[in-house]
Every structure is written in C-alpha cells, then in structure tokens.
Amino acid sequence: MVEVVVFAIAALVVLGGAAGVILQRNPVHAALSLVATLFGIAVLFVAQEANFLAAVQVIVYAGAIVVLFLFVIMLLGVDQADDLDAEPLVGQRPVAIALGVLIGAGMVLVVATSTVTGVPAASERWVRDGEDVAQIGRLLFTDHLFAFEITSLLLVIAVVGAVLLARTRPGPQVDAEEDVPVLPGEVVYEEEE
Amino acid sequence: MLAHVLAADPLLAGDIDLAVVLVVLLKTVVAFTLLLVSVLFMVWFERKVIGDLQNRLGPNRAGPFGLFQTVADGLKFFMKEDQVPDRADRRIFVLAPYLTAVPAFLVFAVIPVGGDFTGGRDGTVEIFGRTTFLQLADPPVGVLLILAMSSIAVYGIMLAGWSSGSKYPLLGAVRASAQMVSYEAALGLSVVTVVLTAGTLSTNGIVASQSTWSWNLWVTGFVPFVIFLIAATAELNRPPFDLVEAEQELVGGFNTEYASFRFALFFLAEFMNTVTMSAIIVTLFFGGPSGPVPVGPGWLWGTVWFTVKLFVFLFMFVWFRATLPRVRYDQLMDLGWKVLIPLALGWLLIVAGYRVGDDEGWNPLVVPVVGAAAVAACYGLLALALRAARRARRLDEEVGA
C-alpha cells in the first residue's frame, strides 16, 4: 500500500517535471523542472532500496550538473523567454511532431502486444547480500574495472582540454584589434604599455 | 489494552504498527523543536559572545541576560511588510527561501544526539517498548544525505539572488554558489577519509566505530578535521568566508531584496546550518555522543557529552567571526582549489594505503612514511613541471616580442 502511494507521488513528480522542462518558456523554470524530475527518480531509487544511487542522483545530477546549467543560463543572460515564432531550422517542428508520434505509438504498441512471461525482472534475479554501496564498489572494481578506468581517463582528458582552451595567453588578445565602443560621458584612459 | 492499541496498523503496511509510527512522530517533533530552540539560543549566544569579545554588553534588555531578544526579533520579522520587487521572478522568489530552509532541517535528521555507545552498545533506547536510536533517521547512506542536502542548499541561495531581478543579489548569488560548489569538493574528500576508517556510511555506524576513545580526530590523523573545519566554515558562508554578504561591496548579498518572513527563513537557515554543521563535526570526528558514563543511565550521558562537544564548536564559529578578517575572493578560491583539495586527496591516498597495509599486516609505521614520501615526490614533480612550463612560456613571450 505504502509502496503504491510512494510510487504514484514520485511518478507524478517525475512526469510533471518532465512536462515542465518542455513546456516552461523561461529556461530557469525549465531547469528547475528538471531538478523536480531528478528528485522524483531519487525517491523511486529509495523505494527500490537503492539508497546509494538515490544519494548519488541528488549529489551529482541535482547538486552539480543542473547547478552548472543554471550558472550558464544566469551568466549568459538567457533568462528571457525565447521567441518561439522564429524557427532556426526550417521544417524542424513537423518532423519533431511526426517522430514523437511515431515513438509514442511504438511504445504503446510494445506494451499492448507483449504478454506477461512470468520471468522475474533483472533486479529480482539480483542476489542482494550486504550493503548496496559495497556491491556497487565491488562490481566497479572487478567486472567493470576497464570501463571505469577508461571513463576516468576520459574525464581527465576533458578537464585538461578545458583548462587548455580557457587559458588566456599573456600579450595581445585575438580580438584586441576590435574597436571598443565608448559610451557618451565615459572617460577614456590611456593604455599602459 | 495499550499494547493492543499500539499494535494497530494505521498505514495498512502490514509490519508497521502504531507504536512505530508514534515513535517516529515523537522523534520528528522533538528533533524539530530541539533545532528551533537551539537556533533561538544560538542567535543570542552569538550576539552575547561577540559582545563580550568586543568589550560590549550585547543584548541585555528582553528577559534575563537578554535571552528573549531573539524571540522579540523573530516577532518583529513577522510584523514587517512582505514585499516582492517589481522585476522579481515571483514564483522562484517565493520558492527560494524554502529551498534553503528545508535542507537545513533535513540534515539534522541523521545526527545521533544521544545514546549509550560504551562497551560495544549501539546507542539504542526503548520508547513504547520499541528499541530505537536517538536520532530521527539512520539511513544506510547518512553521510551522503548530509552532502546531498548541502548541495541542494546551493539552489536556495542561487535562485534567491537571481530571482530578485537586481544586480547586487545576482553578484552575491554567483559568488555564493561558486564558493559553496568549490568547497563541497574539499568537504566531501575529507569525509571520505572518515568513511574509509569507519567502514560505513551510516552516521550511527560512524559514531559506534569511534567508541572507546578511538575518535576519528586522531585515527584519521588530524588533517581531515582541519580541512573539514575550513571547508565547513566556507560552506556555511560564515566569517572569514562570508563574501556572500560582504556588506561593503554587495549591500547585503543574495538576500538584499528579501524582507519579513522570507528573510527570517534565510536567517533561520543560516543559524540552523551552523548548529547542524557543528553537530556533523562532532559526529564525524569527535565520537558524537560517546564518552564516559560515571553514574546513571548511559543514554542521558550521551546527550550530555554531545551537547558539551557541540558547544565547543558553536563557540569556535563565533570566535572565528569575532577574530578573523574577511579573506579576498581570489584568496578564497586559491585556498579551496590549490590547497585544500590537493591536500585532502593526498591525505586520502595515505590513509587508504595505511588501511591496505593494515589488512595485509605491513609495518604500520613504514607504510604512512613511504606513502607521504610518494605523495610529496608527486607534488614535487608537479611543481617542477609547472615551473618549467612557466619558464617556457616566458621565453616564448620574449622571443615573440
């Protein structure tokens, strides 16, 4: 009984947030709807006794990634509602609608035509012995060690690349030749050499 | 009869009877009241102690020793006009104070505030015939919950500043969130050492692992504690890291446009965070409620020891505020990224090496020394590489110019 209620509420939050991401015109509101979705999923994880995944979901996705989204949105100042009449890609909208309908129909078709096989789901077949943190750790450092290390290497490469791209070189900048507009009444200082 | 009533099943869940629900409700109410009362007290305490440290009287009008000053201030908040700026994003402006206050409440749920941990006992007490911990909840990932809540609290500050539709709050919010996100890394890395030593993520388990004076303060080797303390002060936006509300530059920081009850929520959250962060330090590094039981029931002594330890840190945060000048923003960022995070990482490696050596039966003295030497060698190589790169760049410039 409790599980059903929890699932229903969490599912409502997840779907409501997902709808909000698409329907909200203000990018900040859309990002917050995404947070609501992530929270709902974290609750679903807890309901499945995957406490560690729930915590990581909140810390990594809600706590770091969406904060980064918000940073970009706020600092780039795209906090105004976008003009939806302008269509940057011609014919994008009808194609999107057609694809959406197709995928939706496909999902309905799969659910409608499939039958209950009675075979337990993968999570049912999973043997639970001990804490989920220890289990995930053991899997990561034994069976999936290669994928784990490759991923960490990828992240290091990405960080190094980002630092290299963001580094400002001393001396004249690339766009130093451009004229800087001077506002009326503004004092122009002599450039120091 | 009572047993019969208590065995009722209000949630229709089968194995959860009324007694369990009542215990949880009772603990929730107690935890909530405890936190609110301690916040009221903390505000008074801070003002009084700062008064003393600056040779002033501090609040002394409302009640004995000015104890009711906070209550009076709180009532005044409620009487004020609640205003929303014209250019504010109304919905988020209203939501933001709650995003700060609610996580501050939730963190306190996983703090063990009492219980007897002496002689291998696990700190349980009996209420309504049920054994339970003297903490609201003991999730298996308690420490991660603390980190998750502190990363959610960033939203409140960030959105409050942005939604005000005003320059200074936005600047304050950007600073605040950058500061909190950066120091979360150092905070988390110093917690990892504690988790590694305790072998569990549950707060109750961490306290239990520190009974009989094996406090994490010296078991993890003091350095993680110092890192945690500095990072926690930055995470709390308290002096000397209170750049978020640097009055001279930012008017009031992210909460400039807030008034009345909504401002009170930010204020409340700030002091609640101070109390809970002190409680977290006590739990992670100072054995929480563990301590000697000279006479009487052990669980009571647990609460006494916990309160005493808590006080030390509450006083220390106030002391910081009265003593240390505010650091500059670039100093703050340099300290976080260039000192605390590498130090925490290096220390984590040494502790991990020591643990492995402990399991393998290696010499407990040689392993840390070799580990420290290896880390120092790595750092030296890195510093050398940095210097070479800097010199190469300078030469490059000279040739180019």
Side-chain angles (χ1 to χ4, degrees):
Chain A
M1 186 60 202
V2 179
E3 278 125 57
V4 175
V5 173
V6 168
F7 175 77
I9 295 173
L12 265 181
V13 171
V14 171
L15 290 180
V21 174
I22 305 167
L23 297 177
Q24 297 280 3
R25 297 209 159 190
N26 188 323
V28 173
H29 292 182
L32 284 184
S33 306
L34 184 59
V35 177
T37 303
L38 296 172
F39 252 100
I41 292 171
V43 172
L44 288 178
F45 273 136
V46 173
Q48 299 293 316
E49 292 181 29
N51 292 308
F52 178 72
L53 286 184
V56 167
Q57 171 95 3
V58 173
I59 293 174
V60 174
Y61 285 94
I65 292 184
V66 182
V67 167
L68 200 70
F69 287 1
L70 280 176
F71 246 98
V72 172
I73 292 170
M74 285 177 188
L75 289 180
L76 293 186
V78 277
D79 51 352
Q80 299 309 313
D82 270 336
D83 184 12
L84 291 183
D85 292 329
E87 212 170 336
L89 257 135
V90 184
Q92 176 191 14
R93 243 164 247 166
V95 173
I97 292 171
L99 274 178
V101 168
L102 208 66
I103 292 172
M107 280 161 81
V108 170
L109 205 71
V110 167
V111 174
T113 53
S114 62
T115 50
V116 178
T117 55
V119 178
S123 58
E124 268 308 304
R125 288 191 299 255
W126 182 254
V127 188
R128 282 182 179 281
D129 49 343
E131 278 186 67
D132 53 346
V133 185
Q135 285 190 343
I136 291 172
R138 203 165 296 132
L139 275 181
L140 267 187
F141 287 103
T142 54
D143 292 0
H144 303 289
L145 182 66
F146 187 64
F148 178 76
E149 291 295 342
I150 288 287
T151 313
S152 62
L153 193 68
L154 200 66
L155 286 175
V156 171
I157 293 170
V159 169
V160 171
V163 169
L164 209 65
L165 284 177
R167 203 178 65 190
T168 47
R169 292 191 150 275
Q173 298 297 307
V174 179
D175 49 359
E177 307 292 304
E178 263 177 47
D179 288 333
V180 182
V182 180
L183 293 176
E186 198 175 28
V187 187
V188 186
Y189 293 104
E190 284 296 316
E191 229 178 71
E192 285 179 75
E193 278 304 313
Chain B
M1 181 60 204
L2 186 66
H4 215 76
V5 171
L6 287 181
D9 186 11
L11 290 183
L12 304 175
D15 50 347
I16 301 172
D17 58 12
L18 189 60
V20 176
V21 176
L22 275 181
V23 167
V24 169
L25 273 181
L26 184 77
K27 286 204 287 189
T28 312
V29 172
V30 169
F32 193 74
T33 337
L34 209 67
L35 193 57
L36 279 185
V37 171
S38 60
V39 165
L40 282 182
F41 171 78
M42 178 63 194
V43 176
W44 170 82
F45 180 72
E46 174 145 8
R47 296 178 66 177
K48 203 76 182 165
V49 171
I50 286 193
D52 281 350
L53 289 170
Q54 297 174 343
N55 277 333
R56 301 185 279 113
L57 284 175
N60 65 348
R61 290 290 137 193
F65 307 107
L67 260 175
F68 298 131
Q69 186 62 47
T70 321
V71 181
D73 289 347
L75 282 177
K76 195 175 151 215
F77 272 133
F78 287 92
M79 301 297 167
K80 292 283 182 184
E81 184 194 351
D82 191 9
Q83 46 190 349
V84 180
D86 252 0
R87 297 195 45 198
D89 187 321
R90 289 194 76 93
R91 273 193 290 173
I92 295 184
F93 188 79
V94 174
L95 176 73
Y98 297 97
L99 278 181
T100 318
V102 172
F105 267 118
L106 288 180
V107 172
F108 197 67
V110 296
I111 308 289
V113 294
D116 186 6
F117 286 92
T118 52
R121 276 181 284 262
D122 58 352
T124 52
V125 291
E126 284 219 352
I127 311 174
F128 297 142
R130 308 280 143 160
T131 46
T132 180
F133 295 122
L134 276 181
Q135 73 191 82
L136 181 51
D138 180 35
V141 290
V143 174
L144 291 181
L145 191 85
I146 294 171
L147 292 178
M149 284 305 128
S150 88
S151 62
I152 291 306
V154 178
Y155 278 103
I157 288 176
M158 199 172 183
L159 293 173
W162 175 78
S163 68
S164 297
S166 160
K167 276 197 189 90
Y168 289 119
L170 182 64
L171 285 173
V174 169
R175 261 188 194 189
S177 29
Q179 174 181 337
M180 288 170 86
V181 169
S182 328
Y183 275 79
E184 235 163 59
L187 195 80
L189 283 171
S190 61
V191 171
V192 174
T193 354
V194 173
V195 172
L196 202 67
T197 327
T200 173
L201 283 168
S202 115
T203 44
N204 191 67
I206 287 175
V207 170
S209 77
Q210 297 176 69
S211 57
T212 66
W213 296 104
S214 59
W215 287 359
N216 278 333
L217 175 63
W218 41 80
V219 173
T220 56
F222 206 68
V223 171
F225 164 69
V226 174
I227 295 170
F228 191 92
L229 192 65
I230 296 173
T233 318
E235 194 76 3
L236 289 171
N237 299 326
R238 282 188 65 92
F241 304 115
D242 63 336
L243 295 133
V244 176
E245 38 194 312
E247 296 89 354
Q248 297 86 341
E249 311 153 23
L250 288 176
V251 186
F254 68 95
N255 54 18
T256 305
E257 305 289 348
Y258 280 83
S260 179
F261 181 61
R262 301 205 180 105
F263 179 77
L265 277 176
F266 280 120
F267 194 70
L268 195 70
E270 200 180 313
F271 278 89
M272 264 192 302
N273 279 330
T274 310
V275 174
T276 42
M277 199 50 103
S278 308
I280 291 167
I281 295 176
V282 170
T283 305
L284 292 183
F285 294 100
F286 287 82
S290 72
V293 182
V295 61
W299 60 269
L300 194 64
W301 277 101
T303 313
V304 170
W305 290 127
F306 180 78
T307 317
V308 169
K309 291 170 188 171
L310 189 66
F311 253 100
V312 173
F313 285 99
L314 289 182
F315 179 76
M316 204 183 56
F317 278 127
V318 178
W319 198 4
F320 280 176
R321 177 168 169 183
T323 316
L324 298 170
R326 184 182 294 138
V327 300
R328 231 170 40 217
Y329 190 68
D330 58 322
Q331 292 171 333
L332 173 95
M333 283 298 160
D334 277 359
L335 178 70
W337 288 101
K338 294 186 183 165
V339 180
L340 290 186
I341 293 178
L343 188 65
L345 267 175
W347 200 262
L348 174 67
L349 284 179
I350 295 174
V351 171
Y354 178 77
R355 299 288 298 177
V356 171
D358 204 32
D359 285 347
E360 304 279 331
W362 295 337
N363 189 329
L365 223 84
V366 173
V367 173
V369 170
V370 170
V375 170
C378 287
Y379 178 77
L381 280 177
L382 190 68
L384 217 64
L386 278 177
R387 211 164 68 200
R390 206 168 291 141
R391 211 179 48 217
R393 210 169 337 147
R394 212 170 42 232
L395 282 175
D396 210 29
E397 251 168 69
E398 274 164 20
V399 171

